[in-house]
Amino acid sequence: MATAAAQALPASMDAREWDEASYRRGILRARDFSSRTLFRAVFFDHGDDLDSDVLLAAASSDGSLASFSLSSCISAASASSQAEAAVTLVDPVCIVQAHSGPAYDVRFYPDPQQPLLFSCGDDGRIRGWRWHEMQSCLAPLSLQGDHLEPVLDLVNPQHEGPWGARSPIPENNAIAINKQDASIFAAAGDACAYCWDVETGKCKMTFKGHTDYLHSVAIRESNRQVVSGSEDGTARIWDCRSGKCTQVVHPVKKIAFENSWVSCVAIDASESWLACGTSSGISVWSLLSNECIFNLDCHAPVQDLLFDKNQILAVGAEPVLSRFTINGTVLSQIKCAPQSAFSISIHSSGMAAVAGYGGLVDVISELGSHLCTFGSRGLDK
């Protein structure tokens, strides 16, 4: 009778060949994709080479580091829009398992002979990758992940406690590149910033003074200074020669926001202005007069910002890309795909890439139109 009943069922309801393991893998893969976060997406900018394809590199919460061809992403997005797909999934040009935990930041080291891509993450490592290997990978996507070896692998120092006990390796939440003296600055989870020598792979200096972990770091090359932003609610300016703190910036002084943190810092091209993104808004300071120019309260925490000439682009815990004047006037607000955005990057052509929750990247033109929105297929584990 059971056989007869099974034969009477439509083929779509026949469970005799049900693959439970495959179903579970599909559910886990879908859940992993929906909760994945891209903490950083940056353009590889060719500068004057206008004919070259625009490439991006992205650091993900699954520890992977991937490169993407923008022309391929736009083509895939156009095809998906015709098919009315909710999110365009694209295959990266190359993807590696860069870190054992989430990868929080990625930056280019502008060597004209051999550009490098540096990543950092929750495992406390800074790793350097040959960019030419990531922009022209010949291995099929199914064989990628551990097919490349880093050319540089730096690990944060551990702190020694009583009876010789050692602390866990502190994570790296952000990095900044100083191309003048071949240095990498890292914002770490032990409330310290570290300066690493790219050539020797050794830690040259440790900057101590914050009372809580660091979120961000930026370099002021002309004055040989570095700026760090911390969970303790302050930004500190350090002398790279002595390692001493020369100024403590308090972006938020209102009593209602006294527990605010500094999530991101940025310095303009003239190195005269400092912008701080906090849990309550944006604060801009003059580095020449050491004065606050304006404080702007926002609807949600600001998670990344940068200077675009004399303007400021900012993203945060809401799906909006905001553009401000240096005096705090709102020029535009563009809705973007990630519900919570952690990264904003700008290309020399004027287009911007916003990355964040859901593993999404939204590429927006200089005029504010959406060129494409895509998510990466990632590594199947």
Side-chain angles (χ1 to χ4, degrees):
M1 293 179 62
T3 303
Q7 291 176 347
L9 290 173
S12 61
M13 297 178 63
D14 189 351
R16 288 175 296 179
E17 296 183 3
W18 175 258
D19 189 344
E20 180 70 18
S22 178
Y23 173 75
R24 289 177 179 272
R25 285 195 299 270
I27 292 295
L28 291 174
R29 190 178 297 113
R31 187 180 67 177
D32 174 69
F33 176 78
S34 64
S35 61
R36 187 183 303 158
T37 298
L38 294 182
F39 288 108
R40 180 73 62 191
V42 294
F43 288 109
F44 178 68
D45 209 328
H46 294 274
D48 297 332
D49 192 355
L50 301 178
D51 296 328
S52 298
D53 187 14
V54 177
L55 300 172
L56 298 96
S60 173
S61 58
D62 64 3
S64 65
L65 182 63
S67 60
F68 299 92
S69 161
L70 187 57
S71 61
S72 298
C73 294
I74 293 175
S75 299
S78 300
S80 294
S81 63
Q82 295 176 0
E84 298 184 353
V87 176
T88 304
L89 295 181
V90 300
D91 290 334
V93 175
C94 178
I95 185 168
V96 295
Q97 189 66 50
H99 298 274
S100 58
Y104 291 133
D105 203 359
V106 58
R107 303 287 177 177
F108 283 102
Y109 184 79
D111 187 328
Q113 300 299 324
Q114 181 177 282
L116 297 176
L117 186 65
F118 284 100
S119 62
C120 72
D122 194 63
D123 56 5
R125 295 180 179 275
I126 300 174
R127 285 180 161 172
W129 311 85
R130 295 183 182 90
W131 176 238
H132 72 84
E133 293 180 346
M134 294 202 65
Q135 66 179 349
S136 58
C137 185
L138 299 179
L141 191 62
S142 59
L143 299 179
Q144 296 184 28
D146 56 0
H147 64 296
L148 297 182
E149 292 293 331
V151 295
L152 188 66
D153 193 357
L154 310 174
V155 185
N156 280 341
Q158 295 173 276
H159 301 285
E160 188 169 338
W163 302 289
R166 288 185 173 272
S167 67
I169 298 174
E171 75 275 12
N172 285 316
N173 295 311
I175 52 176
I177 307 295
N178 187 344
K179 56 181 178 290
Q180 285 189 347
D181 62 357
S183 298
I184 304 175
F185 292 85
D190 58 356
C192 295
Y194 295 97
C195 176
W196 296 88
D197 190 306
V198 174
E199 300 296 333
T200 64
K202 295 182 179 180
C203 183
K204 297 194 294 186
M205 190 167 293
T206 302
F207 304 91
K208 297 181 179 180
H210 283 289
T211 59
D212 212 331
Y213 64 88
L214 306 190
H215 286 286
S216 55
V217 64
I219 298 171
R220 192 183 184 198
E221 294 183 357
S222 60
N223 287 54
R224 300 199 65 181
Q225 293 176 327
V226 62
V227 181
S228 56
S230 171
E231 182 73 9
D232 64 15
T234 68
R236 287 177 177 256
I237 302 176
W238 309 85
D239 188 329
C240 294
R241 291 158 291 195
S242 65
K244 295 182 179 179
C245 177
T246 60
Q247 184 182 352
V248 180
V249 177
H250 296 271
V252 180
K253 292 186 177 180
K254 294 183 178 180
I255 297 177
F257 299 113
E258 62 180 359
N259 294 323
S260 176
W261 59 87
V262 179
S263 53
C264 48
V265 292
I267 297 174
D268 76 316
S270 69
E271 299 191 342
S272 302
W273 306 94
L274 168 67
C276 302
T278 72
S279 57
S280 58
I282 296 175
S283 181
V284 174
W285 293 67
S286 168
L287 292 173
L288 302 179
S289 63
N290 296 328
E291 294 179 334
C292 179
I293 304 303
F294 76 86
N295 278 315
L296 179 67
D297 293 338
C298 297
H299 299 294
V302 175
Q303 295 173 156
D304 195 26
L305 49 70
L306 55 78
F307 282 92
D308 180 19
K309 299 175 183 176
N310 60 343
Q311 298 175 356
I312 300 170
L313 296 178
V315 294
E318 59 180 352
V320 174
L321 168 62
S322 301
R323 183 181 290 269
F324 305 91
T325 67
I326 197 69
N327 295 318
T329 303
V330 179
L331 295 175
S332 66
Q333 289 188 313
I334 302 172
K335 186 175 178 61
C336 55
Q339 292 301 302
S340 182
F342 287 88
S343 166
I344 172 68
S345 175
I346 195 157
H347 190 263
S348 58
S349 65
M351 62 182 168
V354 178
Y357 184 75
L360 298 177
V361 178
D362 198 349
V363 183
I364 303 171
S365 73
E366 185 178 17
L367 301 177
S369 61
H370 294 264
L371 296 177
C372 67
T373 300
F374 67 91
S376 171
R377 296 187 187 278
L379 288 168
D380 287 336
K381 298 180 181 179

